[in-house]
Amino acid sequence: LRDAVPNVPNWIAHPLATGADSLYAFSIGDSLVMRLPDGDVVLLRELRVRPRRPDERLIVGSLWVDAERGSLVRAAYRPSVPMDLWPLISREIGRNDQDRVKAFGPFTGTIREIMVEHGLYEGRFWLPSARMFMGEGTARGAKVTISIQQTFTYEHVAAMPPGSIARIVPEPEDVDPRTGRVRRPSWFGIR
C-alpha cells in the first residue's frame, strides 16, 4: 500500500506511515466483488482517508485494497487544500531548466485528482498499470492546466524466494550520460 502515494519530501504526509493516524481519520467505504476470467473472485474494500485538519501536505481520497491479499488495487486522492506546486515541479525538472521555469512561478493551484490503477499479474501480483495527475492553477497570473498520464507494462513477473533481496539493474536509458549516475524514477515521467 505504501506505493500508492509517492514518497517525495515536501510533497505529502503519507497516510499509511507510522503515526499517520494523528494526521488522518480513516473509515471503511464501499466494497466490490470482481469475477476474473479464470473464475476467481476478488473482494475489494475501500479505505477512505480524510485529514484531521486542512493542510497542503495532507490528502483526501480513497484506497481500494484486495481484502484477501492486502494489496493496493486503486488509489484516488488529492491534497486537502490548494498548494504551491513549485517544490514538486522543481524536483522533476533538470537543474539547467529550473531558472527558466522558475521565471513563471510561483505555481499555486489545485490538484484535482491523482489516480494510481493496478492490474493483477500472474493471478498474484497487483502492480501499477497507470498513473494520472490532473491539476489547475496560476503561474504569474496565467491560468495553467496540467494533465499527465503514465502507463506501465511488464514483460514478465516472477516472485522472489522468501527472504531474498531484489537487485535492480538499471536500463541504459536510466543512466544520465553526463554524470554516469542512475536517474531516479520520476513521478511525472519528466527527466
Side-chain angles (χ1 to χ4, degrees):
L1 287 176
R2 290 188 180 275
D3 294 335
V5 180
N7 186 18
V8 177
N10 300 325
W11 172 228
I12 65 164
H14 201 297
L16 300 176
T18 303
D21 57 336
S22 66
L23 301 172
Y24 295 103
F26 301 94
S27 62
I28 299 296
D30 292 333
S31 62
L32 174 70
V33 176
M34 291 180 12
R35 183 168 305 277
L36 303 177
D38 66 1
D40 284 349
V41 174
V42 177
L43 172 63
L44 304 180
R45 293 297 315 241
E46 178 189 20
L47 176 63
R48 293 182 181 156
V49 179
R50 302 285 180 260
R52 293 190 182 274
R53 60 183 164 71
D55 187 307
E56 70 179 22
R57 294 195 68 235
L58 300 178
I59 66 165
V60 58
S62 65
L63 307 175
W64 285 83
V65 178
D66 179 331
E68 181 181 334
R69 296 172 181 88
S71 299
L72 182 71
V73 175
R74 181 177 194 260
Y77 59 96
R78 63 174 174 76
S80 64
V81 297
M83 64 183 297
D84 179 8
L85 300 176
W86 178 249
L88 183 63
I89 292 170
S90 67
R91 292 186 190 288
E92 298 296 329
I93 60 175
R95 290 208 182 271
N96 296 337
D97 295 328
Q98 282 193 9
D99 289 335
R100 272 188 284 161
V101 175
K102 199 172 197 174
F104 295 103
F107 296 94
T108 304
T110 302
I111 297 174
R112 288 185 298 182
E113 187 173 35
I114 299 170
M115 290 178 45
V116 182
E117 297 282 347
H118 289 66
L120 185 61
Y121 295 87
E122 305 290 328
R124 299 173 34 190
F125 306 105
W126 288 101
L127 299 174
S129 57
R131 287 194 292 200
M132 180 179 58
F133 169 94
M134 293 187 303
E136 57 190 22
T138 60
R140 296 271 184 206
K143 185 172 181 174
V144 178
T145 301
I146 300 170
S147 179
I148 300 169
Q149 297 181 1
Q150 284 181 305
T151 57
F152 305 92
T153 57
Y154 304 91
E155 291 180 25
H156 178 70
V157 178
M160 298 290 293
S164 64
I165 298 175
R167 181 170 176 218
I168 299 173
V169 178
E171 295 292 324
E173 64 268 12
D174 290 336
V175 177
D176 187 327
R178 293 171 291 162
T179 64
R181 286 193 269 175
V182 176
R183 296 178 181 145
R184 64 177 176 76
S186 169
W187 172 246
F188 293 118
I190 301 170
R191 297 243 186 237

